Amino acid sequence: MHNSPAPVVSDLILLGGGHANIQVLKMLAMNPIGGLRVTLISDQTHSPYSGMIPGFLAGYYSYEECHFDLRRICEELGQRFIKAKIIGLDPHSKTVQLENRAEIRYDCAAINVGIQPRSIEHLSAEAAAKLIPLKPISRFIAHWQRLIADLAAYRGDEPLRLAVVGAGASGVEIAIILKMLITQNRWNAEVSLIHRHEFLISAKDLRAQQRLAKTLNDLNIAVFQNTEVLEVHEKGLLLKDANGQIHSEDFYRALIATQAAAPDWFKSSGLSVDQDGFVKVTGKLQVENTEALFAAGDCIHFSPSPLKKAGVYAVRQGMVLEHNIRAFFTRQSALKTFHPKKHVLSLITIGERQALVHQDDVSILRWMWPSLLWRVKDQIDRRFMQRFQAETFSAKPEHFSKTMPAPKTTLVPADWQDNTCGGCGSKLAASTLTQSLNKLAIPQHDLVLLGVNDGEDCALTRFSEQTLCLQTIDQFRSFISDPYVFGQIATQHALSDVYAMGGVAKTAQVGLTLQAATERIQQEDIFQVMSGVLDILTKSGVALVGGHTGEGSEFSISIAVQGEVAPDQVLRKQLTKPGNRLILTKPIGTGAIFAANMLAQANGKLVDEALSSMLQSNKIAMEAIRGFDISGCTDITGFGVLGHAFEMMGKGEGALGVKIDYKAIPLFAGVAELFNQGYFASIAPKNHASLACLLNADVTLQNFPALFDPQTSGGLLFSVPIEQTADCLTALHDSGVSRACVIGEVIGTNEIIIQ
């Protein structure tokens, strides 16, 4: 018998990585509810903390200091993270529609997705290129960095004119920071602030208006008051001033800080929205006319008393949101009402590490020096960010436990009985499997005579008599919390063996081991992972013909693939031609990345890059190189580059060797640092030990870690004649295999040389 994991009973889906949802994520991890699975969905791995973005733009903070690494936070807290764009929601079926992947079901969901720029109609391509919207922040940062690069590179005689449209807090701050950087770096540019009102930021705070007006004047920022932007054209803006006069002003770029808009999918999903499209919520932060759907932050219209679009509200809504979600699931307390403060404190950047208080009522902070105010703001922001950042280690800890607090409340019934049997006794119920498969649209295939839906003990397929049959199987446990992406990568990994032998995959069978959960949760898990599997199989022209399911202590998958290859196109592992160059098609480092990720020590962007590479099919590379004189070919998986290169050397008479240029091996960005910190996959030491007797004493795991790093869905390793190398690399690069490169050569002696 084994100790069964806690069963999953219900799903909470957090839509968006805004301030409120991040607080919910943290609080539910610190005080968990037994049987509740928490999933955060966001199209951005890093979510910006709006309070620190002005400091980031000014150069006071690094990117990591002012962004929540959502993937890493979820990994540390033991919660699921799904990187996907939300395109719709059905509150009746309780499903969320995601772009280019299967929908996901929830028992309760919380929306905190922020806002987007209000679209400007009838823009030409040239006019649209002039605009830089301030929302969403993640997109604005990319535009900002390109603008700063353009300003630094500009050498023209006439100054580049930049317009900031909108004189709310963000618009004023951007104008000030932009002019401050221009002055500091002596760039040839000038800044104008255009707004449709008489006042700056607020009509009520006269003291702040006076101070801001003086700051703008001192910085020589031209201010167009009572001015409306009528049109954006190829050269700049068409303006209408307070006297009704219409005139055109040329601008190099226009940064738009005017009113933002709600995501389009709010209205198309049938949610209750206000006239501007923002989702309407009650005082308890429930979306109107729903029970299992909550929302917070800038994306909401707070029906009891409409609020400004200010990040401080999302921060304060977080605790109420978490309480109400907990109450929804446990039914142990009543829902709380969110009571917003009447006045919102705002600290605005007015110069180099200086801030100004803007508030509608009296505050002692008004009498602080601007430099002191900045220090106060800096301390507040840093403390807030520290609460929601994953802990960082300078080196891999010898002992590390991710065990979270034990639940004080649970959704698991007292009479719960999970499947603790082995063998066929661990199979899932037929009804669970059937209901999941019935939701999948499994394509028909001409080769399949009897398949998944026919209920036979075996699949029956037809192969051509002129081809050879290839069969392979792979199995591993889940290394990522997103079941859809896990299914995609596992499938690419399994198909790769067929491609490495020059073949074409035709059919596949899938085995799943699921963790203890209710029947409905297991149905959802099967649907998610198999949707990912089918996505890759369908794109690859491979038929799903059967499979097997069972229950165990951890989520795992096995995939058997059958393929075919013409006799004259079979590629073998063994190298045959000394002097050939060795080409590797993908970077190395997935073993170290996910070893670090298991301890929440891998930057989310690094994990994203690794996943993107793992999702790339080796079929693309094989089709690009098929016309070349290939000698020896394999895919890089668990044994690492050197382990698989050793397999290619052969044995006995005719065995060859390899000379590898270690510095030429491509690595994912950040992997070298992980190696230096001691992050290695568990099999890496064994990979080294198995070859140590063939290597020089200095070729150790510590000195040459990339040689022994195991890869999941790694690239191809093969050799081509030296005279074909350049053309082969060109073919690969033109096909999108951008990181393919030469890492060594084949030598005539049966030895391994690392240089």
Side-chain angles (χ1 to χ4, degrees):
M1 302 293 287
H2 60 273
N3 293 324
S4 301
V8 178
V9 177
S10 291
D11 274 318
L12 168 65
I13 306 296
L14 302 177
L15 304 177
H19 305 345
N21 271 354
I22 291 174
Q23 292 181 80
V24 171
L25 190 79
K26 182 70 177 261
M27 287 187 283
L28 284 176
M30 295 298 99
N31 183 14
I33 300 173
L36 178 64
R37 180 169 61 184
V38 182
T39 303
L40 176 66
I41 301 177
S42 173
D43 62 348
Q44 298 292 325
T45 300
H46 285 75
S47 176
Y49 173 46
S50 57
M52 296 177 76
I53 293 302
F56 166 73
L57 300 178
Y60 307 145
Y61 304 121
S62 68
Y63 185 91
E64 283 71 22
E65 284 178 318
C66 62
H67 282 78
F68 303 100
D69 189 333
L70 301 178
R71 187 183 292 281
R72 189 174 167 192
I73 292 171
C74 288
E75 189 66 39
E76 182 183 58
L77 299 178
Q79 318 286 34
R80 297 199 307 177
F81 176 73
I82 292 177
K83 184 180 181 182
K85 183 179 180 180
I86 302 163
I87 58 174
L89 182 147
D90 186 341
H92 303 293
S93 64
K94 294 186 177 179
T95 55
V96 181
Q97 286 78 52
L98 306 174
E99 188 174 64
N100 297 324
R101 57 175 290 160
E103 66 183 21
I104 190 167
R105 189 190 178 283
Y106 65 86
D107 293 292
C108 177
I111 304 171
N112 187 201
V113 294
I115 51 182
Q116 61 187 30
R118 188 175 297 278
S119 61
I120 300 177
E121 298 180 355
H122 310 303
L123 281 181
S124 67
E126 294 81 2
K130 292 240 174 229
L131 299 181
I132 302 178
L134 267 64
K135 295 288 186 175
I137 294 175
S138 57
R139 197 180 306 165
F140 167 69
I141 288 175
H143 285 294
W144 174 271
Q145 292 171 335
R146 285 195 291 270
L147 174 62
I148 294 302
D150 289 346
L151 294 177
Y154 180 65
R155 295 294 181 269
D157 295 330
E158 293 295 322
L160 293 177
R161 298 189 67 200
L162 306 171
V164 178
V165 181
S170 58
V172 171
E173 279 189 310
I174 292 298
I176 291 174
I177 291 170
L178 188 55
K179 186 56 191 294
M180 185 178 69
L181 292 175
I182 290 170
T183 302
Q184 290 173 351
N185 294 282
R186 298 183 179 180
W187 294 328
N188 189 13
E190 55 189 37
V191 179
S192 298
L193 181 64
I194 303 171
H195 62 106
R196 63 191 340 188
H197 302 293
E198 179 72 30
F199 55 86
L200 298 169
I201 299 181
S202 170
K204 298 180 180 180
D205 194 338
L206 297 178
R207 179 185 175 90
Q209 287 186 54
Q210 292 171 355
R211 182 59 187 271
L212 286 173
K214 183 179 186 304
T215 299
L216 295 171
N217 183 66
D218 292 345
L219 290 172
N220 198 27
I221 295 175
V223 179
F224 291 74
Q225 290 181 320
N226 298 314
T227 301
E228 185 177 357
V229 176
L230 298 179
E231 183 181 317
V232 182
H233 53 75
E234 289 79 358
K235 292 186 177 181
L237 304 174
L238 186 66
L239 306 177
K240 179 180 179 181
D241 63 23
N243 298 319
Q245 298 296 317
I246 297 176
H247 63 284
S248 182
E249 294 281 346
D250 291 352
F251 289 105
Y252 175 68
R253 291 289 184 270
L255 290 77
I256 308 299
T258 53
Q259 187 176 7
D264 295 334
W265 62 264
F266 283 4
K267 186 175 182 180
S268 63
S269 297
L271 302 180
S272 179
V273 297
D274 69 359
Q275 61 182 5
D276 295 317
F278 295 98
V279 64
K280 296 168 72 174
V281 301
T282 67
K284 295 176 171 57
L285 302 181
Q286 282 179 304
V287 176
E288 289 187 0
N289 304 318
T290 70
E291 179 189 10
L293 191 59
F294 294 84
D298 287 350
C299 69
I300 69 169
H301 170 82
F302 190 66
S303 294
S305 57
L307 306 173
K308 296 178 181 178
K309 304 300 181 186
V312 65
Y313 287 121
V315 172
R316 292 173 179 171
Q317 288 162 358
M319 294 187 67
V320 174
L321 182 62
E322 190 273 342
H323 172 89
N324 289 351
I325 289 173
R326 184 179 297 275
F328 172 87
F329 281 109
T330 65
R331 308 295 179 180
Q332 293 180 354
S333 59
L335 301 185
K336 285 185 178 180
T337 299
F338 174 65
H339 297 287
K341 288 189 175 181
K342 183 177 180 182
H343 302 290
V344 177
L345 176 66
S346 176
L347 295 175
I348 302 169
T349 301
I350 60 169
E352 186 170 355
R353 287 186 169 84
Q354 296 186 50
L356 171 71
V357 170
H358 161 60
Q359 187 169 309
D360 292 340
D361 63 352
V362 177
S363 169
I364 192 173
L365 295 178
R366 287 181 178 277
W367 311 108
M368 288 187 180
W369 290 104
S371 57
L372 178 58
L373 272 175
W374 172 266
R375 290 199 294 271
V376 170
K377 181 181 186 302
D378 177 64
Q379 291 176 4
I380 293 172
D381 289 338
R382 288 183 183 274
R383 280 199 301 268
F384 179 79
M385 285 297 293
Q386 187 61 39
R387 290 170 53 200
F388 302 100
Q389 297 285 42
E391 186 177 358
T392 298
F393 302 101
S394 59
K396 182 179 180 180
E398 294 184 6
H399 303 287
F400 183 86
S401 175
K402 290 173 62 178
T403 303
M404 302 307 295
K408 297 177 182 177
T409 57
T410 182
L411 307 178
V412 182
D415 59 352
W416 170 270
Q417 292 184 350
D418 64 352
N419 188 346
T420 57
C421 296
C424 283
S426 66
K427 282 189 176 182
L428 299 182
S431 59
T432 301
L433 179 61
T434 300
Q435 290 182 49
S436 298
L437 294 178
N438 286 343
K439 292 174 62 180
L440 295 167
I442 301 176
Q444 299 297 311
H445 201 287
D446 293 342
L447 292 176
V448 181
L449 303 179
L450 294 173
V452 176
N453 296 321
D454 294 299
E456 295 292 339
D457 286 337
C458 293
L460 185 62
T461 60
R462 179 191 296 111
F463 278 81
S464 169
E465 296 180 359
Q466 287 75 41
T467 58
L468 303 176
C469 177
L470 296 172
Q471 292 182 302
T472 183
I473 187 169
D474 271 294
Q475 178 174 351
F476 47 74
R477 62 183 183 178
S478 179
F479 59 90
I480 189 171
S481 61
D482 184 342
Y484 183 89
V485 173
F486 176 56
Q488 288 179 305
I489 291 174
T491 308
Q492 292 287 31
H493 181 90
L495 294 174
S496 185
D497 284 341
V498 173
Y499 301 143
M501 291 193 67
V504 177
K506 291 296 183 179
T507 64
Q509 298 186 71
V510 179
L512 295 178
T513 300
L514 302 179
Q515 292 178 284
T518 63
E519 183 176 346
R520 181 180 54 75
I521 293 293
Q522 288 182 333
Q523 289 174 13
E524 174 68 14
D525 289 349
I526 294 173
F527 175 68
Q528 290 297 321
V529 69
M530 288 304 299
S531 292
V533 170
L534 277 175
D535 175 67
I536 300 302
L537 291 181
T538 302
K539 290 175 180 176
S540 306
V542 180
L544 176 66
V545 296
H548 184 85
T549 56
E551 189 175 287
S553 60
E554 56 186 0
F555 186 25
S556 64
I557 189 171
S558 61
I559 301 179
V561 181
Q562 300 79 42
E564 62 180 23
V565 60
D568 61 346
Q569 291 187 339
V570 175
L571 295 178
R572 302 291 300 277
K573 284 185 181 180
Q574 188 167 351
L575 300 165
T576 60
K577 297 180 180 180
N580 275 13
R581 294 312 189 243
L582 288 169
I583 292 180
L584 178 66
T585 62
K586 287 186 182 183
I588 296 298
T590 62
I593 289 170
F594 286 97
N597 189 57
M598 289 176 65
L599 302 179
Q601 296 301 294
N603 186 293
K605 286 187 174 180
L606 176 55
V607 177
D608 286 348
E609 184 184 1
L611 292 174
S612 178
S613 175
M614 295 157 80
L615 285 169
Q616 185 180 59
S617 173
N618 282 329
K619 182 179 181 181
I620 299 172
M622 179 51 62
E623 290 176 344
I625 67 175
R626 197 178 292 279
F628 295 91
D629 185 13
I630 305 299
S631 166
C633 184
T634 188
D635 60 332
I636 306 300
T637 54
F639 297 156
V641 171
L642 198 57
H644 289 288
F646 173 71
E647 290 182 320
M648 298 170 74
M649 290 164 53
K651 298 178 181 179
E653 186 177 352
L656 300 177
V658 295
K659 180 191 292 184
I660 293 179
D661 180 359
Y662 184 77
K663 292 183 179 179
I665 297 175
L667 300 179
F668 292 105
V671 166
E673 183 180 354
L674 292 179
F675 284 147
N676 291 335
Q677 293 174 336
Y679 289 98
F680 305 109
S682 56
I683 198 178
K686 298 176 184 177
N687 285 344
H688 171 261
S690 67
L691 297 172
C693 62
L694 304 175
L695 304 172
N696 290 335
D698 65 328
V699 182
T700 64
L701 177 61
Q702 287 68 33
N703 293 339
F704 296 88
L707 293 174
F708 311 104
D709 190 62
Q711 305 304 291
T712 301
S713 191
L716 297 179
L717 179 65
F718 60 92
S719 81
V720 295
I722 186 171
E723 64 273 12
Q724 295 183 13
T725 301
D727 289 341
C728 185
L729 287 174
T730 298
L732 286 165
H733 296 161
D734 289 346
S735 298
V737 188
S738 60
R739 297 292 299 274
C741 63
V742 174
I743 66 165
E745 63 180 285
V746 183
I747 58 177
T749 55
N750 188 218
E751 61 179 329
I752 299 173
I753 299 175
I754 308 298
Q755 60 182 23

